[in-house]
Amino acid sequence: MWRFRGSKEPPTLTPESAKMIMSVTGFSVDQVQAMFDEFVAMHPSGQINKKRLRHMFHQSLPKMEKITDHLFRLLDSNGDGKIDFSEFELCMFIMDGKNAEDKLAKIFRFYDLDGDGKITINELRTVLSSVRELVDTNIDEEMPDVEAIFKDMDKDGDNQITQEEFVQAGMKDELFINWLIKLF
């Protein structure tokens, strides 16, 4: 699919990757090719590793450097330790998308720090604490009660929030969902 550094040929966009991105996003082949060309111009290997992502954040958004690992995990959907064009574009599309349920499902992965498919109260606190540092200094005045929100989201009372519970709660609670997506 991709040709990496060390290869004599530059990364290329395969027809399969282009079709997959087009089917999800509705973009034309020309739009996908233009986005790919821009991505490769910025990342000649055709990939972004965690070190590169940290450097990018350090250069442009130093406050967000603390959440780089969380963001990397979100973007690296196949878990290979690298973000390729398809992963990057699909995540950006979902984050910019109009479908709230899809957005919430993707954001769930950001809060699920250990990747076990469930969010614990500690995971929720950890991520919200990181977000709190990134935004306004008066954020504590607006911050919802994390324990109360967690309890409300945990419909089956097992002290874990599943993706389904997360999405359902997010669709109902406008104040909390605004907090969850504040970073995005």
Side-chain angles (χ1 to χ4, degrees):
M1 181 170 164
W2 298 98
R3 294 189 181 104
F4 302 107
R5 215 174 267 180
S7 171
K8 294 181 182 189
E9 298 179 44
T12 57
L13 179 63
T14 65
E16 295 82 19
S17 293
K19 284 178 187 173
M20 186 263 302
I21 292 169
M22 289 166 37
S23 72
V24 172
T25 64
F27 295 149
S28 72
V29 69
D30 291 337
Q31 290 171 309
V32 172
Q33 185 65 54
M35 290 183 291
F36 176 78
D37 293 343
E38 186 176 332
F39 183 84
V40 171
M42 294 173 66
H43 311 286
S45 70
Q47 299 176 319
I48 303 170
N49 63 25
K50 196 179 288 189
K51 182 178 178 182
R52 175 73 179 132
L53 188 68
R54 277 192 192 115
H55 178 74
M56 288 166 49
F57 276 105
H58 178 73
Q59 295 294 316
S60 58
L61 301 165
K63 284 184 171 183
M64 287 188 66
E65 191 173 7
K66 292 181 179 183
I67 62 160
T68 304
D69 289 342
H70 305 315
L71 186 60
F72 189 85
R73 195 174 30 77
L74 176 72
L75 293 169
D76 183 20
S77 61
N78 68 0
D80 69 354
K82 298 171 185 96
I83 301 166
D84 64 27
F85 172 72
S86 297
E87 291 168 320
F88 184 79
E89 282 305 315
L90 291 175
C91 186
M92 294 300 103
F93 175 76
I94 289 169
M95 291 300 136
D96 289 337
K98 292 180 172 82
N99 184 329
E101 288 183 42
D102 288 343
K103 225 183 239 194
L104 286 166
K106 197 69 168 179
I107 293 170
F108 175 85
R109 288 187 56 216
F110 186 77
Y111 284 84
D112 178 18
L113 298 179
D114 61 7
D116 68 352
K118 297 181 171 121
I119 299 171
T120 65
I121 187 73
N122 289 333
E123 288 174 315
L124 189 60
R125 280 189 198 120
T126 298
V127 175
L128 289 177
S129 174
S130 296
V131 171
R132 196 179 286 146
E133 292 177 23
L134 296 175
V135 293
D136 228 330
T137 53
N138 298 327
I139 201 160
D140 288 325
E141 296 170 13
E142 302 171 22
M143 182 71 182
D145 178 8
V146 176
E147 285 77 14
I149 295 294
F150 186 87
K151 185 177 178 182
D152 187 52
M153 291 174 79
D154 182 20
K155 293 297 180 196
D156 62 7
D158 66 352
N159 293 319
Q160 301 176 91
I161 300 169
T162 64
Q163 181 174 320
E164 182 179 334
E165 290 171 325
F166 183 86
V167 171
Q168 287 175 356
M171 296 298 288
K172 289 192 311 188
D173 189 336
E174 190 173 326
L175 172 66
F176 188 61
I177 196 55
N178 286 338
W179 265 101
L180 290 174
I181 63 173
K182 194 165 194 113
L183 177 62
F184 301 97

